[in-house]
Amino acid sequence: MGLIVQKFGGSSVADSDKIRNVARIITETYRRGHKVVVVLSAQGDTTDDLIAKANEINPKASKREMDMLLSTGEQISCALCAMAIERLGCPVVSLTGWQAGMKTNSVYGNAAIKRIDAERVLAELDKNAIVIVTGFQGINKYDDITTLGRGGSDTSAVALAAVLKADLCQIYTDVDGVYTADPRLVKDARKLDEITFDEMLELATLGAQVLHNRSVEMAKRYNVKLEVLSSFSGQPGTKVKEVAKGMEKTHVSGVAKDKNVARLALVGLEDEPGIAFKIFSLLAKNNINVDIILQSIGREDSKDISFTVAKDDMESARALLEENREAIHFDRIDVSDNIAKVSIVGAGMVHNPGVAATMFEALFNAGINIHMISTSEIKVSVLVDAADADKAVQVVHSKFYGEINGQ
Ligand code: ADP
Ligand code: ASP
Ligand code: MG
């Protein structure tokens, strides 16, 4: 008997039948004698629909007003779920982020949780109520509503689990757990019984949206017992933990795809010290995050530098560099957002030099051109044309897992 935090994503609460299903899972847990705190996302595509509605009114709406709008989606699902639980005869209360004491910084649209003042949640639990909290949101020091970034309800759930010292944090979604690749894209992707925090963090950061990357970071930091499972199938899910049983033979735990990438290439830079510093300090000062960087070998006193940023930052990065053309000295900027990043992740690859080559071979065999490469101890990422991205995930996955299956 302990405290369990259960989070249900948008597809798990998409309509009234699904809300009733979620209410059943919650009340069954409660009736087994657990204290239950629930975090919900907005129903189905509500958040996307709200964004579209805002764009009709003002495509340049302030981030503060966007947060005011987007936070409403989670209030609807929480109230409806509380009503379904009332009907099943259990005591329940739904709370907004601010009622639950979620204090964030003031970065509207991508706020970070600073602390949770959990008195209200604890008081409700003491009264034996099931507590339902809106995911994805909190309030800042001005008492304004903030949101945590797309997919942020996972982070709300893990943060609550950490503060309440929950015995378990269950992330319920529309697939059976974490797979070796997106199961919607790769038919024979395999469900992992366990994955390490580090590998999951890389996969989430590299595009596997099954968990919000900040939720994994937080679970690792506070050692939250974390599990990803389906709200529909009743099958055992994936445990995310410090040490996990690896897939010895492949050294690769997963393949991920990220389409939220844009590439900028500065052509004809002077080949002299300080150029990279000028470019990247300018971008950093303007809060533009740079991912992969590639510098060509100098030729006849000039060189090129290409790098990637998030799609949303492409135009502001280009404008910023154009404004500083005189100071930086370059011939031209080429930009493209018709690209995607495909990555393999695995703690085992650091000791196995052939892993990257195996990935490149799979891409070569499929005739897929690689534009950029970046590696770390635990991952290899390549940049490919957006049109090739799905195929790239499939061929890379089958190169690592097809051979294993065939053994
Ligand atoms: P929720 O609404 O429950 O938060 P998300 O859509 O955010 O759900 O995340 C679940 C989706 O993540 C799945 O439907 C699946 O298509 C996708 N996904 C991407 N990569 C993976 C992976 N490696 N394992 C499992 N699911 C993945
Ligand atoms: N509703 C928010 C979104 O769609 C948060 C979440 O689902 O986690 O991004
Ligand atoms: Mg999600």
Side-chain angles (χ1 to χ4, degrees):
M1 247 55 72
L3 171 61
I4 301 189
V5 175
Q6 297 184 318
K7 179 259 168 178
F8 296 88
S11 45
S12 302
V13 291
D15 57 34
S16 300
D17 279 342
K18 288 182 176 148
I19 287 194
R20 277 191 281 269
N21 173 54
V22 161
R24 183 187 52 76
I25 296 174
I26 297 166
T27 49
E28 278 173 6
T29 312
Y30 178 80
R31 289 196 166 117
R32 281 200 297 273
H34 297 290
K35 288 189 180 297
V36 188
V37 174
V38 176
V39 172
L40 297 184
S41 293
Q43 290 186 278
D45 295 330
T46 302
T47 309
D48 289 328
D49 295 344
L50 290 170
I51 292 172
K53 209 166 251 182
N55 283 336
E56 277 172 25
I57 304 282
N58 177 4
K60 295 206 164 115
S62 67
K63 290 190 170 168
R64 181 197 181 277
E65 297 310 326
M66 285 304 287
D67 280 359
M68 183 74 176
L69 178 69
L70 298 190
S71 63
T72 61
E74 272 69 12
Q75 273 195 53
I76 295 173
S77 53
C78 285
L80 291 175
C81 186
M83 293 173 195
I85 291 174
E86 282 177 348
R87 198 154 180 203
L88 293 175
C90 292
V92 60
V93 60
S94 66
L95 302 174
T96 63
W98 73 263
Q99 288 174 309
M102 290 268 182
K103 301 290 166 59
T104 74
N105 65 15
S106 292
V107 184
Y108 298 102
N110 195 24
I113 297 172
K114 288 173 69 177
R115 63 170 203 281
I116 302 178
D117 299 331
E119 295 81 14
R120 175 75 191 270
V121 174
L122 289 168
E124 298 293 348
L125 287 173
D126 273 351
K127 287 190 247 166
N128 274 330
I130 294 169
V131 183
I132 306 189
V133 180
T134 51
F136 170 62
Q137 61 193 264
I139 56 163
N140 66 12
K141 62 181 176 193
Y142 310 110
D143 287 348
D144 281 345
I145 296 175
T146 52
T147 66
L148 310 183
R150 298 304 306 269
S153 298
D154 299 333
T155 301
S156 311
V158 172
L160 273 166
V163 166
L164 300 171
K165 300 197 169 37
D167 297 282
L168 180 61
C169 180
Q170 295 181 309
I171 307 288
Y172 282 90
T173 183
D174 56 357
V175 289
D176 275 337
V178 180
Y179 280 69
T180 49
D182 185 341
R184 297 188 194 289
L185 186 59
V186 178
K187 264 194 330 310
D188 54 356
R190 295 203 252 150
K191 197 191 84 191
L192 300 164
D193 295 331
E194 300 187 341
I195 186 167
T196 65
F197 286 129
D198 289 339
E199 288 171 310
M200 190 63 237
L201 182 56
E202 285 288 348
L203 276 179
T205 307
L206 293 167
Q209 90 257 32
V210 63
L211 282 177
H212 194 229
N213 62 353
R214 272 160 42 207
S215 73
V216 186
E217 223 171 356
M218 199 175 289
K220 179 179 160 75
R221 180 154 11 114
Y222 295 100
N223 211 8
V224 172
K225 210 167 158 202
L226 189 62
E227 192 182 2
V228 180
L229 66 174
S230 162
S231 46
F232 305 111
S233 76
Q235 295 297 312
T238 302
K239 295 189 166 61
V240 190
K241 47 205 283 221
E242 195 58 53
V243 181
K245 286 181 268 154
M247 288 210 171
E248 272 301 311
K249 282 182 186 156
T250 62
H251 314 294
V252 171
S253 329
V255 185
K257 176 188 79 174
D258 187 357
K259 286 196 159 168
N260 179 21
V261 188
R263 179 182 48 161
L264 290 94
L266 288 169
V267 182
L269 290 158
E270 282 173 18
D271 192 12
E272 60 180 32
I275 294 291
F277 168 64
K278 270 190 206 163
I279 297 168
F280 296 110
S281 59
L282 180 67
L283 294 167
K285 262 185 229 140
N286 288 275
N287 282 325
I288 296 176
N289 246 331
V290 173
D291 182 20
I292 307 177
I293 300 175
L294 187 74
Q295 175 172 313
S296 68
I297 296 177
R299 52 177 149 63
E300 291 167 8
D301 297 335
S302 92
K303 66 184 175 189
D304 310 331
I305 292 184
S306 319
F307 58 92
T308 63
V309 296
K311 260 189 186 149
D312 276 353
D313 287 334
M314 181 178 88
E315 282 310 329
S316 39
R318 187 214 313 245
L320 195 63
L321 292 163
E322 285 288 7
E323 278 163 30
N324 289 273
R325 202 184 182 112
E326 289 299 300
I328 301 171
H329 298 298
F330 55 87
D331 288 342
R332 62 168 206 277
I333 305 181
D334 294 337
V335 300
S336 165
D337 61 358
N338 220 350
I339 51 167
K341 185 166 67 172
V342 172
S343 310
I344 53 172
V345 170
M349 66 174 69
V350 61
H351 303 296
N352 291 278
V355 175
T358 306
M359 179 186 194
F360 304 152
E361 187 188 358
L363 295 168
F364 165 66
N365 288 341
I368 295 172
N369 194 25
I370 300 174
H371 299 299
M372 280 179 161
I373 299 172
S374 131
T375 65
S376 78
E377 287 193 343
I378 181 174
K379 65 129 209 251
V380 181
S381 297
V382 296
L383 214 62
V384 299
D385 288 338
D388 288 334
D390 288 359
K391 178 96 202 236
V393 172
Q394 284 154 355
V395 297
V396 169
H397 185 275
S398 103
K399 186 81 187 163
F400 286 102
Y401 294 98
E403 282 174 6
I404 293 288
N405 286 338
Q407 272 177 7

